[in-house]
Amino acid sequence: MAEEEREPDDSPRLSSSSHSKNKEQSRWVMIVPEKIADQQLEDSSPDSQPSIIKLKHPKTESAAQFLICPKDKSIQEILSFQDSKGSWFIDNTVQEDGRLLMATNIDPLFLILPYLQSENNTKKHMFMELDQIVKDSSYPQCNRLVEILDHQTTCQICDSKGNEDFKVYRYSEEKTLAWLKSKVERTADYLSSSDISVSSGQCSSYVRSSKPSEVPREDCLRYAAGLISDYLHPSLSKKMFSNLGIKEETTKGKKVSENGNKTEEETTNGKRRPDENGHKAEEEPPLKKVRKSSSEPDEDYSRSFSMPQVKAVPTSKLTPGQKRLAKADKTGMKSLSSFFKKK
Amino acid sequence: MFEAKLQQGGLLKKILESVKDLVVDGLWDCDGAAITLQGMDSSHVALVEMLLRAEAFEHYRCDRNVTLGMNHNHLSKILKCANNDDIVILKAADQNPDSCSLILESKNGEKTSDFVVSLVRIDTDQLGIPETEYSAHVKMSSGEFQRICRDLSQFGDAVQITCSKQDVKFSSSGETGKANITLTHSATVDKEEESVTVDLKEPVDLTFALRFLNLFTKATPISDTVTLSLSQEAPLVVEYKIGDSGHIRYFLAPKIQEDEENE
């Protein structure tokens, strides 16, 4: 990526400026879109300042860091790239942590999807207010997502009811799949118009070579869907693949080349990659890592061996009736030993 | 030694069918007068008690009290081999038997099958169930009760049973809507098994998990009628008589409603 190479020229300016007001240890080099970096410099009110928050990653469900910008209602995913060795020179100091962080635009809908889906499971199709849906005690900052979502955006994946003042939402799988489909198609369009190689060497070349008649469009779609499934819970991504009529070819997380990374950002909001600019964050560094193209195999040879594990093996020989009983809702029922005494 | 000969093997099949889903391993207590079985489901919210008196058997001999720990899945495999009109003979040794034999004889005596089932060690507490006065007794056709439970389970997971002076109301609600079934006291009907009798001391209003009730109704083939005994804050009793010589009673803890919002 060209941006990456040019970045060190820019970043020291910002890093050193932050350096003056922050502690030594909390210092990183991060590429952020220019407009966000500008906000950081000019804007003083803390509420509208871009800040780093910890949220549940929609796929892994573990913690990941995001840069939220309330002012332009956007959220950036933070990726980190680390060479095995490396440090930064910033002005006259050496920054030992050689990681390069990148903030790239992500569609906030991906981040609220897990909440919508889980509400959907528990409350059984109830319409709820958005700030009630997006509530998570382990990631309290997730309520900030609600600020940056507007009604129209949310309606892409939800049914909604109510008037201007009071709007309630309900997860709609149909809409979500349609939304994902349009995302995949847009990404695939971009992929086919760009010179990014989506076929051999990057996405299961073995399967591909055995079916030489495949049209490139299908490859683009599959590649695009793979990119997007990186932001989806495995169950949903499975549905997406079947909705698109594509066979999921990689069982593990996708292996991304540098190009892949770039398209990933295209995927999330259809915009161009944010401009590079150095920017320093105030909190702890992100945990996510950018996958490197060179260090990971392009194909997963173990796939064929891991497949049989998917088959469910009945662990006990319960009768169907016993199984049904085990699933019974026993809330509010006391044990019978509280009514009858032991003999 | 213990030996019991049952003319109607089908009865034992029906009994087993009605308990095996609730209780995987059951203790069959045999004494001079009767065979009793008591067991709870794995979550201990439901209990089944079966009593089969010696009169039910054509031949019954029990020299010493003996307890047989049966795995009902294994037992049911054996009884699947039996025809409904086969004669079933149960045999076990007196002292700490580790197996129990079952002999199935066809009616005309031409075929005899012989099985041995290994007994299992069961460590469960037996509960003493006191004879209690219930606020309400509802007697009705067992088929009707089965049907109500099955119909209502399409609407919700739980059934609310409300007994008032002359009728009993079964209601269930879920996301698709609400269902109410009301049965009115009708002892005057000619056929006794089709009548509904409500014997009420105090009005009751209780909620129970339908999955369990549906399981209890597996005993429907055993008897034409079923009696529900209810008291506020006490387990429901669903009783099926086994002719004049025994019964199957199911006990189920009520659901105590804390979450009114689901109403």
Side-chain angles (χ1 to χ4, degrees):
Chain A
M1 268 187 289
E3 291 95 321
E4 221 169 316
E5 272 119 71
R6 275 189 277 131
E7 187 274 335
D9 302 332
D10 289 338
S11 70
R13 174 172 60 86
L14 274 175
S15 300
S16 54
S17 69
S18 326
H19 171 53
S20 54
K21 39 180 183 187
N22 284 319
K23 282 183 216 139
E24 184 78 26
Q25 60 262 36
S26 57
R27 193 161 78 159
W28 314 276
V29 177
M30 172 145 69
I31 309 180
V32 295
E34 200 154 22
K35 53 180 192 221
I36 295 175
D38 290 345
Q39 276 176 37
Q40 160 84 357
L41 287 180
E42 73 199 28
D43 206 330
S44 52
S45 80
D47 279 348
S48 54
Q49 277 251 352
S51 59
I52 292 185
I53 58 175
K54 202 185 269 182
L55 295 172
K56 183 157 82 177
H57 191 270
K59 182 179 186 179
T60 59
E61 295 191 335
S62 53
Q65 305 237 6
F66 294 86
L67 178 66
I68 190 163
C69 310
K71 203 176 175 190
D72 57 0
K73 295 197 176 233
S74 73
I75 186 154
Q76 318 279 322
E77 176 191 27
I78 299 179
L79 300 164
S80 97
F81 175 86
Q82 185 164 30
D83 246 339
S84 51
K85 294 184 181 68
S87 300
W88 295 107
F89 284 110
I90 300 169
D91 291 345
N92 293 327
T93 57
V94 175
Q95 154 97 350
E96 203 178 316
D97 181 359
R99 277 183 309 174
L100 172 65
L101 308 182
M102 282 169 281
T104 58
N105 218 324
I106 178 171
D107 194 325
L109 291 181
F110 282 112
L111 301 174
I112 64 163
L113 256 177
Y115 298 105
L116 284 166
Q117 282 186 298
S118 70
E119 281 309 320
N120 180 46
N121 291 338
T122 52
K123 295 279 176 179
K124 296 191 179 158
H125 309 298
M126 282 207 329
F127 280 90
M128 287 171 81
E129 278 180 277
L130 202 55
D131 54 355
Q132 276 184 299
I133 298 173
V134 185
K135 210 189 260 178
D136 191 340
S137 52
S138 26
Y139 302 99
Q141 286 166 310
C142 71
N143 58 8
R144 296 197 63 181
L145 284 170
V146 180
E147 305 164 13
I148 62 166
L149 283 161
D150 58 41
H151 177 65
Q152 217 183 341
T153 320
T154 319
C155 283
Q156 290 179 305
I157 59 168
C158 290
D159 297 329
S160 94
K161 269 188 190 172
N163 55 18
E164 282 294 303
D165 302 325
F166 183 76
K167 288 200 185 75
V168 285
Y169 299 93
R170 185 177 70 180
Y171 172 67
S172 157
E173 187 165 282
E174 240 170 83
K175 281 189 172 181
T176 305
L177 288 173
W179 171 71
L180 287 170
K181 191 171 182 179
S182 75
K183 273 208 186 304
V184 170
E185 272 167 1
R186 269 212 317 254
T187 313
D189 288 344
Y190 178 80
L191 285 169
S192 51
S193 69
S194 71
D195 55 351
I196 295 164
S197 162
V198 295
S199 54
S200 56
Q202 295 194 8
C203 113
S204 348
S205 61
Y206 261 65
V207 180
R208 165 110 178 94
S209 57
S210 65
K211 296 182 274 181
S213 59
E214 264 180 347
V215 284
R217 175 69 185 171
E218 199 181 314
D219 279 349
C220 287
L221 277 176
R222 178 177 303 127
Y223 194 82
L227 292 173
I228 286 174
S229 75
D230 242 18
Y231 295 90
L232 298 175
H233 191 265
S235 62
L236 184 60
S237 80
K238 214 173 269 172
K239 282 181 195 149
M240 176 184 77
F241 273 99
S242 66
N243 181 47
L244 289 163
I246 307 175
K247 258 204 306 194
E248 200 170 356
E249 299 234 335
T250 43
T251 48
K252 288 210 307 190
K254 75 174 194 302
K255 298 103 206 174
V256 177
S257 69
E258 278 188 29
N259 289 341
N261 261 330
K262 183 167 180 176
T263 51
E264 204 170 283
E265 284 103 43
E266 300 295 337
T267 309
T268 52
N269 60 359
K271 281 189 212 157
R272 293 229 41 113
R273 187 189 156 72
D275 293 329
E276 73 288 352
N277 213 330
H279 169 58
K280 216 182 99 32
E282 299 94 320
E283 291 171 54
E284 345 158 30
L287 308 162
K288 268 189 82 178
K289 263 194 169 179
V290 168
R291 291 131 292 207
K292 279 186 284 173
S293 54
S294 52
S295 62
E296 280 218 307
D298 289 328
E299 286 165 61
D300 180 6
Y301 295 108
S302 65
R303 183 157 46 102
S304 54
F305 298 102
S306 60
M307 286 304 254
Q309 290 171 0
V310 180
K311 284 181 202 153
V313 182
T315 47
S316 62
K317 25 175 200 173
L318 293 174
T319 65
Q322 286 158 1
K323 271 184 232 153
R324 229 172 306 142
L325 202 61
K327 279 187 230 147
D329 177 18
K330 296 173 196 110
T331 48
M333 293 165 77
K334 276 199 261 178
S335 163
L336 279 173
S337 50
S338 64
F339 297 103
F340 303 127
K341 284 193 195 102
K342 281 175 186 150
K343 262 185 195 166
Chain B
M1 74 176 278
F2 167 74
E3 195 175 72
K5 184 175 175 187
L6 192 65
Q7 195 70 38
Q8 288 289 314
L11 178 63
L12 197 61
K13 284 176 83 162
K14 287 177 198 161
I15 290 173
L16 199 67
E17 280 304 307
S18 56
V19 299
K20 77 169 171 116
D21 284 339
L22 199 64
V23 184
V24 184
D25 297 312
L27 280 175
W28 295 57
D29 273 317
C30 311
D31 60 26
I35 299 179
T36 50
L37 161 70
Q38 193 195 82
M40 283 193 272
D41 75 305
S42 54
S43 51
H44 287 210
V45 295
L47 181 146
V48 59
E49 182 202 52
M50 191 276 296
L51 173 84
L52 201 54
R53 290 193 201 94
E55 299 100 270
F57 298 92
E58 197 188 27
H59 165 73
Y60 188 90
R61 176 181 158 191
C62 185
D63 299 338
R64 268 197 203 155
N65 292 0
V66 61
T67 301
L68 310 173
M70 296 275 200
N71 179 299
H72 292 156
N73 288 345
H74 298 162
L75 194 57
S76 112
K77 275 181 199 159
I78 293 173
L79 287 171
K80 280 211 173 97
C81 308
N83 288 318
N84 280 342
D85 52 0
D86 278 357
I87 298 163
V88 179
I89 302 170
L90 285 167
K91 272 187 191 174
D94 255 346
Q95 282 184 335
N96 300 326
D98 57 1
S99 66
C100 168
S101 346
L102 275 101
I103 300 155
L104 309 178
E105 281 178 17
S106 68
K107 213 178 172 189
N108 53 18
E110 280 174 356
K111 180 182 166 193
T112 310
S113 330
D114 194 314
F115 303 90
V116 174
V117 58
S118 304
L119 297 180
V120 288
R121 183 187 294 262
I122 302 169
D123 298 312
T124 49
D125 294 315
Q126 298 282 297
L127 298 182
I129 297 157
E131 289 288 320
T132 34
E133 287 281 302
Y134 286 89
S135 309
H137 293 276
V138 179
K139 192 176 170 192
M140 61 195 287
S141 148
S142 59
E144 187 61 50
F145 180 60
Q146 182 177 39
R147 181 149 191 168
I148 289 172
C149 291
R150 195 179 57 215
D151 289 352
L152 288 181
S153 58
Q154 300 180 80
F155 295 91
D157 294 335
V159 58
Q160 187 184 7
I161 304 181
T162 321
C163 286
S164 56
K165 260 185 263 166
Q166 287 291 299
D167 54 28
V168 54
K169 189 170 87 174
F170 300 86
S171 20
S172 178
S173 61
E175 57 188 28
T176 58
K178 216 170 164 166
N180 288 312
I181 298 172
T182 308
L183 297 179
T184 319
H185 183 86
S186 63
T188 51
V189 175
D190 297 338
K191 289 181 186 166
E192 200 213 334
E193 61 267 25
E194 282 176 18
S195 68
V196 176
T197 53
V198 182
D199 175 8
L200 189 78
K201 292 195 183 68
E202 277 171 57
V204 286
D205 178 358
L206 290 157
T207 306
F208 300 99
L210 270 168
R211 263 183 219 256
F212 283 92
L213 294 183
N214 270 322
L215 206 67
F216 297 171
T217 59
K218 294 219 172 196
T220 303
I222 292 173
S223 172
D224 287 337
T225 59
V226 59
T227 309
L228 314 181
S229 306
L230 303 112
S231 273
Q232 213 60 39
E233 309 286 314
L236 159 82
V237 186
V238 181
E239 176 172 346
Y240 295 86
K241 291 254 183 252
I242 305 174
D244 292 327
S245 49
H247 62 244
I248 288 192
R249 282 186 192 146
Y250 296 97
F251 297 81
L252 179 62
K255 272 180 168 305
I256 311 294
Q257 282 176 323
E258 288 144 290
D259 42 354
E260 292 292 322
E261 60 176 9
N262 288 346
E263 286 288 299

